């Protein structure tokens, strides 16, 4: 099983330099991958390209670019550039986005997200695999009057989706290479998410999907204090039905209930639970919750488990 971390250097004086420094530390600790979220700030594929080129020991990925407010031609260009820059170590994550951020940020309606995801994946697959597209859907058109291939990215780009609901899982199993579930505990993963996406892939003759489980957690002795801090940070996600649903399926009431916070024994046991539930990769986020010392302690343990 690959074990990685989500890197967040937004508190650094220079986010790019800070991300590279953190990536070097992650590689030294024995971690295998570094992932970057997409916000209205730094461009995640560019950040992954820079970090992946500077730290060749790591796989790098985006988790995840919303399909609203973007176009497959532009995302393909970003992804292929990152793939060429890292010599095949880039992984692209897509997301449905949320009504709140889509409509408040872009001023466009968040309508028919599953249909948009399907069309986006179909057009994007053509572009990343062949450098051409001739796609005319209900919501999107993507054609290539001039070539869209980036030399050096001929191997294509793995396409993953931050999918957790039934329709998104079906679309991901049929059209993507895997999923990036977040705040989905082992119970939700093993009983609902993995069976659904695997069945969809099998029905269309696709290979078994990758299950990259994003886990919010840290190794610490100050469990109560860190749990309270995590509860504040994660409360944002509780307003969205998709997250609320998967937290409930995981046996929790609040997002913090699926966070992994404790000593080395506790975290090791939880990583094993994710493995048993079908995760092919585990990526830890929030490892800076308890401060620098516990972040390094967490990365040391995860590096051992990755080895």
């Amino acid at each position: 099983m690959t074990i990685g971390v989500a890197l967040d250097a937004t508190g650094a004086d220079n986010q790019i330099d800070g991300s590279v420094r953190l990536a070097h530390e992650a590689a030294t600790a024995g971690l295998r991958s570094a992932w970057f979220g997409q916000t209205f700030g730094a461009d995640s594929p560019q950040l992954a390209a820079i970090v992946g080129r500077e730290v060749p020991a790591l796989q790098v990925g985006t988790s995840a670019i919303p399909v609203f407010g973007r176009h497959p031609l532009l995302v393909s260009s970003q992804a292929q550039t990152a793939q060429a820059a890292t010599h095949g170590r880039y992984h692209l994550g897509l997301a449905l986005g949320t009504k709140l951020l889509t409509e408040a940020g872009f001023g466009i309606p968040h309508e028919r997200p599953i249909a948009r995801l399907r069309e986006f994946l179909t057009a994007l697959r053509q572009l990343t695999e062949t450098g051409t597209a001739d796609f005319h859907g209900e919501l999107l058109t993507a054609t290539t009057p001039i070539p869209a291939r980036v030399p050096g990215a001929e191997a294509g780009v793995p396409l993953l989706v931050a999918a957790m609901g039934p329709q998104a899982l079906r679309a991901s199993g049929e059209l993507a290479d895997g999923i990036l579930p977040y705040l989905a505990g082992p119970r939700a993963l093993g009983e609902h998410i993995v069976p659904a996406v695997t069945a969809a892939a099998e029905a269309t003759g696709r290979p078994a999907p990758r299950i990259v489980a994003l886990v919010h957690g840290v190794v610490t002795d100050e469990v109560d204090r860190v749990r309270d801090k995590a509860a504040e940070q994660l409360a944002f996600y509780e307003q969205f039905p998709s997250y609320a649903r998967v937290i409930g399926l995981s046996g929790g009431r609040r997002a913090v209930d699926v966070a992994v916070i404790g000593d080395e024994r506790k975290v090791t046991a939880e990583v094993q639970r994710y493995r048993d539930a079908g995760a092919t990769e585990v990526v830890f986020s929030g490892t800076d919750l308890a401060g620098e010392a516990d972040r390094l302690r967490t990365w040391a343990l995860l590096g051992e488990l990755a080895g």
Side-chain angles (χ1 to χ4, degrees), residues 172-173 176-179 194 197-198 201 206-211 280:
S172 300
D177 300 305
I179 57 171
V194 174
V197 72
T198 301
R206 291 192 57 78
R210 290 168 56 189
I211 313 294
T280 59

Side-chain angles (χ1 to χ4, degrees), residues 3-8 18-34 58 217-219 264 267 284-289 291-307:
I3 298 181
V5 286
L7 299 184
D8 181 2
S19 297
V20 171
R21 284 194 297 272
L22 287 173
H24 277 297
E25 290 182 13
T28 299
L31 291 159
R32 305 296 177 81
S33 65
L58 292 176
V218 64
V219 176
E264 282 83 358
V267 173
F284 266 66
S285 66
T287 57
D288 57 351
L289 269 171
E292 181 77 356
D294 280 346
R295 175 181 69 79
L296 294 173
R297 179 180 171 187
T298 305
W299 287 14
L301 173 64
L302 296 177
E304 290 178 10
L305 296 176

Side-chain angles (χ1 to χ4, degrees), residues 72-110:
L73 280 166
L74 299 179
V75 173
S76 171
S77 177
Q78 292 176 293
Q80 288 190 70
T81 300
Q83 188 69 305
T86 60
H87 295 273
R89 289 178 287 112
Y90 176 69
H91 309 257
L92 173 62
L94 298 173
L96 295 174
T98 67
K99 183 179 179 68
L100 172 66
L101 297 179
T102 299
E103 298 188 354
F106 292 104
I108 58 177
H110 188 264

Side-chain angles (χ1 to χ4, degrees), residues 222-243:
E222 299 182 86
V223 174
D224 291 339
R225 180 184 70 82
V226 174
R227 180 180 171 83
D228 289 343
K229 187 175 180 180
E232 293 179 10
Q233 288 187 355
L234 296 174
F236 170 79
Y237 295 96
E238 296 167 7
Q239 65 185 301
F240 302 115
S242 59
Y243 286 109

